[in-house]
Amino acid sequence: MGVAGRSGSRFFVRWAAFSYQHAIWVIITAIVIAGLSLTYTATNLGIHTDTTDMLSEDVPFRINHKRYKEAFPQYEDALLLVVDAPTPEQAHEAAKRLAGNLQKDKAHFYEVNYLSGDPFFEKNGLLYKDVVELEKITDQLASAQPLIARLAKNLTLGAFASVLTEAVNEINKGRDLDLDAVFRGVSTALNARFAGTPHALSWQALLGGVQQVDHYQELVLARPRQDYTQLFAAEAALVAAREAAAVLGISHNASVKMRITGEAALAYDELHSAMKGAQDAGVLALILVIVVLFIALRTVGAIMTVIFSLVLGLILTAAFATFAVGHLNLISIAFAVLYIGLGVDYAIHFLLRQEEIRGAAHTVARAVPIVGGDIGQALMICALTTAIGFYAFIPTSYDGVAELGLISGSGMLISLLVTLTIVPALQRYFPIKSIKSILSVRSIQTVLEWPVRARKSVYLLTAITVLLSVIALPQVRFDYNLLNLNDPKSESVETFRDLLENADDSPWHIIVLADNQLEAAQLTQQLLALQEVDKVVTILDFVPNDQEEKRQLINEMAMMLGPVTFPQMQQQQIDVELQKAALEDLGNALSRLIIEQPAHPSIKLVHALHESLSELSSQLELNNTPEAQIRLLSAIERDLLYLLPTSIHRLQLALAATPFALQSIPESVKVHWQSRSDVYRIAVYPAENIDDNDALKRFVHAVQRISPGATGVPVISLEAGKAVVEAFIYAFSLAFIGVVLALLVLLRSVKSTVLVFVPLLLAALFTGAATVLLDIPFNFANIIALPLILGIGIDCSVHMVHRSRSSGEAYENLLHSSTARAIFYSALTTMAGFGSLIFSQHQGTASMGLLLLAGVVLTLVCVLIILPVLLHTVDNQRSE
């Protein structure tokens, strides 16, 4: 196997020989260049984490969204601070104080809004209720007024029990008093205290005539200042929000809690979970890759050669990215993943081919140039075709992927240069030794030889699999839901999904813009007619109907309540015996009512309250020390009464409501619905939970038929997904054409080009079917795996076809060659390295790992089983 006799490869022979002969200078030069490149990259490479910049600004939905952001900037990358509390009063008060504190923090927030706490809504809130609700509140207030008046003079548990006792006695005498809400509320509060989960009695719910629920929430909208030069752009604002909440006593351990979601929080948690998953998987991947390299190469020197060439190539590719693009985004940062998956192949192929040639009694000095001439051309074809495949992404509208294509395509060419320069040089000092099987690789090759003895079976199985895959292909789907990429246990995702379940206030609603009030009214009527739409909100909805009729009821409530004022609730010495006597009197009154009027409409609630008071009496008996009884009675007094002054104060503010017109709505409210340039914002809410992809499509498409320029997260998710899919289809079409032309030029054979592409197309078809079988829909994250699978498929096919065409080796010899082993071990390192991503908390990364694993396995099957059978068939036809 002489060097001179290998026509067409002399350039690579001389290249490898030069690197080997001048090894020390090549290595020193490489280290110096790597150091300079590393310094240049660290100094100049930026990080852009703004996902909206990854798609071209010329895409229609981005143009629509840009107009929306310009008109209503407060909704751009917003944070939603969800305040949870056991009562509506506590939720409102905590949200108002939190918003007030954050509004002062201009270093971290552009603006903070709590619309429910705006003075306009605090004054006119009752006007937004319907007449039936107001009549119910009026009735409840009429029943509770004597109780409120007495408690205003003496806000103690004893006075409360005494007033209730008098009311129960009046009911027993036949008076019609509706105290169901009071009975239910007091009983529930007492039982919660006994169960160890105390919560206050909500007088707002009580006076509203509604049953108090377990928790209430209020939403604070904050627009954070984000630093996109940092990896976690919103981190400072998130920390500031949590610190402000902690100062106010709002924490996970308190009764009033705060959760954070919204676009900025979701992006932060997604990046955090992706990096955490990558770090956890990285350790496992490193161990597995080293194990595979040791099995393949068997010597530390050879392993270090692969790792050194891999690291050098990564550094040089990062330097190129810095020079050519200047920054990385959340997509193009995946160049490292793609480079590791493909770059390691070249070094493995070189080293295993050298080990094979040295077995023919060649010295290292003679073997290295032979390997260069023998494999250099194949590596060049692989690098050029893979680079063309990546470069095909450059002209797409998906800027994030276009940058990834430029960087990764150039990285393949850099990998070729590094492999043909550094690997020969390192072989002078760390030559690969003869490899003896330690894991019965022969048995694997024996299994792989089965297809040649059963070619008809292989063809039949392939045909059946192709047919089944074609049938499954229409079921391949793309998951447009960005939430499904993130860690489902992260706070922002859990909170967002909770909000999605409430159609009345879903954060995923569509925004439609109107240029004037008339257009807004017309669009509203058209949108409300859609069955996919639950409700539509505009600035026009902030002018209530029937204001005069409502005002009369409000005036009636104001006269009924009167000028009630409460003294500040202070910690006073409790007269235990007096309190116990008052509670005992109430219990006795309830007993008489139960005995004398067993058919009373409220008898179930009376029974419940009587049982709660009996439990309280038992608790007081158990806590027989004065101090323990005082603590228990003080806690119950606080549970039942401390929110009453707050509730009455808010009610008194609302009783000052007066009818108003659209022009009277203050700027603090209007700015959220009508911009300063008179653009009207229309919020369209879905009739079903659009966390489901089919529901999302129905909702978006229905609204777009009315308003093609609609925007908002649902529209952006769907349209961005379409843009990504179209970009990849376009890029793969260009890649297919480019790679075919390149192979025709480089291989100079139509037959060889077809043989390269058959396993590639089969692997692509089988991988698509596998996504259906494994229920792995494509998404914004795992679709990045496709270029890597494409690159691996091209490399493997080229190596097998080139080895067969150039040496004319038979099927059996081909499978026992270093080429087959290199393909197997290269694929194994990729599976080991990226298969570990399956364990990532980030669902997008985990699905990428699973897709890569399935794609590489199927590619391996097509290249090592189906392709050799095809080559064997072609060889037989040629020899006949």
Side-chain angles (χ1 to χ4, degrees):
M1 192 181 290
V3 177
R6 306 185 66 84
S7 61
S9 60
R10 291 179 181 176
F11 173 74
F12 295 107
V13 169
R14 292 168 182 169
W15 187 344
F18 177 86
S19 295
Y20 182 83
Q21 292 165 7
H22 302 86
I24 187 64
W25 294 110
V26 169
I27 294 171
I28 292 173
T29 302
I31 293 173
V32 171
I33 292 175
L36 294 174
S37 298
L38 202 57
T39 303
Y40 173 72
T41 302
T43 306
N44 298 283
L45 184 63
I47 299 290
H48 284 188
T49 55
D50 188 354
T51 54
T52 59
D53 287 339
M54 292 185 197
L55 283 164
S56 171
E57 291 185 353
D58 297 328
V59 177
F61 80 86
R62 284 210 64 192
I63 295 173
N64 297 332
H65 191 61
K66 183 179 180 181
R67 183 192 175 204
Y68 172 55
K69 289 194 298 183
E70 290 173 350
F72 301 96
Q74 63 269 38
Y75 292 102
E76 181 182 0
D77 295 330
L79 290 174
L80 272 178
L81 312 180
V82 182
V83 178
D84 296 299
T87 66
E89 295 96 327
Q90 289 170 294
H92 176 83
E93 184 64 23
K96 190 172 182 178
R97 292 171 62 202
L98 178 63
N101 282 12
L102 294 180
Q103 283 169 352
K104 302 172 186 176
D105 187 1
K106 298 301 181 183
H108 296 106
F109 300 95
Y110 290 104
E111 55 185 307
V112 179
N113 296 286
Y114 172 47
L115 286 180
S116 297
D118 190 281
F120 174 78
F121 288 115
E122 289 189 327
K123 176 185 175 183
N124 297 295
L126 289 176
L127 290 174
Y128 290 98
K129 297 184 180 295
D130 59 40
V131 173
V132 174
E133 286 181 285
L134 288 176
E135 289 175 344
K136 189 174 184 180
I137 294 172
T138 303
D139 293 340
Q140 292 293 327
L141 186 59
S143 299
Q145 195 279 332
L147 176 63
I148 294 170
R150 291 276 295 275
L151 289 175
K153 298 176 182 177
N154 184 12
L155 192 59
T156 62
L157 179 60
F160 181 55
S162 297
V163 176
L164 272 186
T165 301
E166 293 175 9
V168 171
N169 289 334
E170 289 297 316
I171 292 173
N172 206 13
K173 293 176 183 178
R175 186 175 175 183
D176 185 17
L177 292 177
D178 184 7
L179 293 178
D180 285 5
V182 177
F183 292 157
R184 183 188 298 109
V186 173
S187 177
T188 302
L190 289 175
N191 292 340
R193 170 61 61 178
F194 302 147
T197 56
H199 66 73
L201 172 63
S202 171
W203 287 84
Q204 179 178 324
L206 189 150
L207 295 175
V210 295
Q211 186 171 347
Q212 184 174 345
V213 295
D214 291 336
H215 81 280
Y216 296 82
Q217 64 183 26
E218 293 289 336
L219 302 180
V220 176
L221 179 70
R223 184 187 171 201
R225 294 183 182 273
Q226 301 197 69
D227 183 1
Y228 290 111
T229 62
Q230 300 297 316
L231 191 58
F232 295 99
E235 184 173 32
L238 288 167
V239 170
R242 296 191 192 283
E243 289 178 349
V247 169
L248 297 174
I250 304 172
S251 68
H252 289 291
N253 299 322
S255 59
V256 180
K257 301 175 176 59
M258 181 190 71
R259 296 176 292 164
I260 304 180
T261 188
E263 291 181 45
L266 287 166
Y268 172 85
D269 280 344
E270 180 179 3
L271 184 57
H272 186 271
S273 65
M275 292 191 67
K276 178 68 164 58
Q279 290 171 0
D280 295 343
V283 177
L284 177 61
L286 180 61
I287 295 171
L288 292 175
V289 168
I290 290 176
V291 169
V292 172
L293 288 176
F294 180 76
I295 295 172
L297 305 175
R298 270 347 123 64
T299 60
V300 175
I303 294 173
M304 294 304 298
T305 297
V306 173
I307 293 175
F308 182 83
S309 62
L310 192 63
V311 172
L312 177 61
L314 268 176
I315 292 173
L316 295 179
T317 304
F320 171 81
T322 307
F323 173 78
V325 182
H327 62 264
L328 295 176
N329 56 53
L330 295 180
I331 299 295
S332 63
I333 201 170
F335 87 87
V337 174
L338 300 179
Y339 186 92
I340 293 170
L342 294 170
V344 72
D345 296 1
Y346 296 173
I348 290 176
H349 274 282
F350 193 102
L351 291 172
L352 288 182
R353 183 63 177 142
Q354 180 182 325
E355 183 269 339
E356 185 178 44
I357 288 176
R358 281 196 67 196
H362 288 293
T363 62
V364 177
R366 181 165 176 77
V368 168
I370 294 175
V371 173
D374 181 66
I375 205 171
Q377 191 173 6
L379 292 180
M380 180 193 70
I381 295 172
C382 289
L384 288 176
T385 52
T386 306
I388 289 171
F390 283 129
Y391 285 150
F393 288 88
I394 295 175
T396 66
S397 60
Y398 196 1
D399 291 347
V401 172
E403 292 173 4
L404 174 66
L406 174 63
I407 297 169
S408 297
S410 303
M412 293 303 97
L413 301 179
I414 291 172
S415 180
L416 175 67
L417 296 175
V418 169
T419 301
L420 294 178
T421 305
I422 295 301
V423 175
L426 290 173
Q427 283 303 287
R428 181 155 189 168
Y429 303 102
F430 307 104
I432 188 169
K433 299 177 182 177
S434 178
I435 297 175
K436 295 180 181 179
S437 175
I438 62 172
L439 285 182
S440 193
V441 177
R442 174 71 60 180
S443 63
I444 297 175
Q445 293 173 340
T446 301
V447 172
L448 291 176
E449 289 170 8
W450 165 80
V452 77
R453 297 191 298 270
R455 283 183 294 161
K456 291 183 179 179
S457 298
V458 171
Y459 285 132
L460 179 62
L461 288 174
T462 302
I464 293 172
T465 308
V466 167
L467 179 62
L468 293 175
S469 298
V470 169
I471 294 173
L473 215 54
Q475 300 178 55
V476 173
R477 57 194 175 91
F478 189 92
D479 186 358
Y480 302 97
N481 193 334
L482 294 171
L483 285 183
N484 292 338
L485 299 181
N486 214 332
D487 179 3
K489 297 180 180 179
S490 66
E491 179 187 78
S492 62
V493 174
E494 287 185 338
T495 305
F496 204 88
R497 290 196 189 279
D498 287 346
L499 295 176
L500 283 179
E501 293 177 1
N502 180 12
D504 288 337
D505 202 21
S506 172
W508 267 9
H509 53 265
I510 291 178
I511 301 300
V512 174
L513 300 181
D515 293 324
N516 53 64
Q517 185 175 323
L518 178 61
E519 184 185 2
Q522 291 174 341
L523 284 171
T524 298
Q525 293 304 313
Q526 291 175 302
L527 292 166
L528 284 172
L530 299 174
Q531 63 179 5
E532 294 85 0
V533 172
D534 176 60
K535 67 174 182 177
V536 180
V537 180
T538 71
I539 186 68
L540 305 178
D541 295 300
F542 286 83
V543 181
N545 298 322
D546 306 318
Q547 292 192 56
E548 287 300 332
E549 184 179 357
K550 294 175 182 178
R551 179 58 189 156
Q552 291 177 10
L553 289 170
I554 292 171
N555 286 339
E556 184 180 340
M557 281 188 270
M559 292 177 63
M560 190 183 303
L561 181 62
V564 178
T565 58
F566 286 85
Q568 187 173 359
M569 203 170 181
Q570 297 177 347
Q571 187 66 37
Q572 298 177 349
Q573 183 65 37
I574 290 180
D575 188 330
V576 175
E577 295 305 319
L578 185 64
Q579 302 270 21
K580 289 170 64 176
L583 292 168
E584 185 177 350
D585 289 344
L586 176 57
N588 293 334
L590 293 170
S591 296
R592 288 193 297 272
L593 181 59
I594 292 170
I595 294 171
E596 297 174 14
Q597 297 196 43
H600 192 278
S602 302
I603 199 65
K604 288 185 179 180
L605 294 173
V606 172
H607 268 291
L609 180 56
H610 184 266
E611 291 175 3
S612 298
L613 289 173
S614 298
E615 177 62 23
L616 174 58
S617 179
S618 300
Q619 293 279 339
L620 288 170
E621 290 297 326
L622 290 173
N623 297 281
N624 51 17
T625 64
E627 293 79 9
Q629 291 183 342
I630 287 173
R631 282 197 300 271
L632 178 58
L633 291 172
S634 295
I636 290 174
E637 182 177 84
R638 181 173 176 80
D639 290 345
L640 296 177
L641 300 177
Y642 99 98
L643 288 180
L644 177 59
T646 301
S647 300
I648 296 302
H649 175 68
R650 288 187 63 195
L651 178 60
Q652 288 172 330
L653 288 176
L655 293 176
T658 56
F660 61 89
L662 183 63
Q663 295 76 15
S664 301
I665 296 177
E667 187 65 22
S668 59
V669 175
K670 186 182 294 184
V671 71
H672 294 280
W673 300 95
Q674 182 181 351
S675 73
R676 290 177 174 84
S677 57
D678 280 337
V679 175
Y680 286 76
R681 175 175 175 265
I682 304 172
V684 188
Y685 290 82
E688 51 188 332
N689 189 343
I690 56 174
D691 198 14
D692 174 72
N693 276 303
D694 293 332
L696 173 68
K697 290 179 184 178
R698 287 192 296 270
F699 178 51
V700 172
H701 290 158
V703 173
Q704 285 181 326
R705 284 194 293 270
I706 303 296
S707 176
T711 187
V713 175
V715 175
I716 292 172
S717 297
L718 190 61
E719 294 299 332
K722 288 180 180 178
V724 169
V725 172
E726 290 172 1
F728 271 82
I729 292 175
Y730 179 64
F732 277 115
S733 300
L734 289 180
F736 180 81
I737 296 170
V739 171
V740 167
L741 293 176
L743 288 174
L744 287 172
V745 171
L746 296 171
L747 296 177
R748 299 178 183 179
S749 168
V750 174
K751 185 181 293 185
S752 295
T753 301
V754 171
L755 286 170
V756 168
F757 261 93
V758 167
L760 192 62
L761 295 176
L762 288 176
L765 178 63
F766 296 160
T767 301
T771 64
V772 177
L773 180 64
L774 299 174
D775 192 25
I776 318 171
F778 289 111
N779 55 49
F780 292 94
N782 67 23
I783 202 167
I784 304 301
L786 295 182
L788 178 54
I789 296 172
L790 172 68
I792 291 172
I794 292 174
D795 285 1
C796 294
S797 296
V798 166
H799 280 296
M800 288 293 282
V801 172
H802 182 270
R803 181 68 181 262
S804 175
R805 299 295 92 186
S806 61
S807 63
E809 291 186 58
Y811 179 94
E812 294 84 355
N813 292 336
L814 190 61
L815 285 177
H816 286 275
S817 69
S818 63
T819 300
R821 284 189 292 135
I823 288 172
F824 176 75
Y825 287 123
S826 296
L828 208 57
T829 56
T830 301
M831 288 189 285
F834 301 112
S836 59
L837 295 175
I838 293 172
F839 304 105
S840 172
Q841 297 171 331
H842 185 264
Q843 298 303 294
T845 303
S847 68
M848 182 196 295
L850 188 56
L851 182 59
L852 269 171
L853 195 61
V856 173
V857 168
L858 292 170
T859 299
L860 206 58
V861 169
C862 292
V863 171
L864 292 184
I865 295 179
I866 298 174
L867 178 57
V869 172
L870 289 173
L871 290 170
H872 186 78
T873 302
V874 171
D875 286 340
N876 286 345
Q877 290 176 349
R878 186 170 54 188
S879 61
E880 290 175 358

